[in-house]
């Protein structure tokens, strides 16, 4: 709700006026906003399913619990996000995930998996940064294009 264009324009416009800057309101249509939220929800479903399948691939568990394991990651991520005392929820997210997973498995493997999942995701993120480093860089805009856009 806080990122809805009407609310975002209201508080961003207020903040920009307070510091004496001009603010151009965002114009996002409902179907565009719905598409963004749908993609975001689908990404979370895939991420949580991936975490659950990673856990199932590493440790032998009984039937069921896959939904619980995947949703535990989402809850742990929220706990890490709302924790203001650590950068990027470091430690908080792993602790919350370990506690949640320890309801389904012994505490030792639960916390080991929580740290392993964090390291695996960190490895993937660094890998994608490496891929991006080898992609061709876009050409900077020509000097006359820059001055034309500044005059507007």
């Amino acid at each position: 709700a806080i990122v809805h264009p009407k609310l975002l324009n209201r508080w961003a416009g207020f903040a920009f006026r307070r510091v004496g800057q001009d603010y151009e309101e965002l114009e996002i249509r409902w179907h565009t906003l719905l598409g963004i939220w749908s993609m975001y929800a689908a990404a979370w479903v895939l991420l949580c399913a991936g975490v659950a399948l990673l856990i199932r691939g590493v440790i032998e568990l009984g039937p069921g619990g896959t939904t619980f394991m995947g949703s535990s990651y989402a809850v742990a991520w929220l706990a890490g996000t709302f924790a203001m005392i650590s950068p990027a929820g470091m430690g908080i997210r792993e602790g919350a995930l370990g506690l949640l997973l320890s309801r389904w498995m012994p505490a030792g493997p639960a916390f080991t998996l929580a740290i392993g999942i964090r390291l695996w995701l960190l490895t993937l993120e660094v890998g994608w940064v490496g891929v991006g480093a080898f992609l061709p860089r876009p050409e900077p805009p020509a000097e006359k294009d820059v001055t034309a856009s500044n005059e507007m």
Side-chain angles (χ1 to χ4, degrees), residues 17-127:
R17 282 190 303 275
R18 296 279 293 171
V19 295
Q21 298 289 321
D22 293 332
Y23 176 71
E24 186 176 327
E25 288 192 359
L26 294 174
E27 294 180 18
I28 301 175
R29 296 188 174 152
W30 275 103
H31 70 276
T32 304
L33 195 61
L34 182 63
I36 292 168
W37 278 96
S38 299
M39 294 291 287
Y40 191 67
W44 266 104
V45 167
L46 288 174
L47 177 62
C48 291
V51 166
L53 291 174
L54 176 69
I55 293 169
R56 287 226 168 260
V58 171
I59 191 168
E60 180 69 34
L61 296 171
T66 305
T67 305
F68 173 78
M69 287 180 247
S71 58
S72 293
Y73 179 76
V75 171
W77 185 87
L78 283 173
T81 300
F82 291 134
M84 301 288 185
I85 59 172
S86 68
M90 193 166 303
I92 307 292
R93 187 188 320 172
E94 291 77 25
L97 183 58
L99 285 173
L100 289 168
L101 290 178
S102 67
R103 296 182 57 193
W104 195 260
M105 64 184 72
F111 283 96
T112 304
L113 279 168
I115 293 169
I117 288 168
R118 176 68 156 215
L119 292 174
W120 176 247
L121 291 173
L122 179 66
T123 303
L124 288 174
E125 290 170 358
V126 170

Side-chain angles (χ1 to χ4, degrees), residues 136-142:
R137 294 176 190 246
E139 292 292 323

Side-chain angles (χ1 to χ4, degrees), residues 6-18 21 23:
K6 286 184 181 181
L7 190 57
L8 177 68
N9 285 329
R10 191 173 301 144
W11 68 260
F14 172 76
F16 273 71
R17 282 190 303 275
R18 296 279 293 171
Q21 298 289 321
Y23 176 71

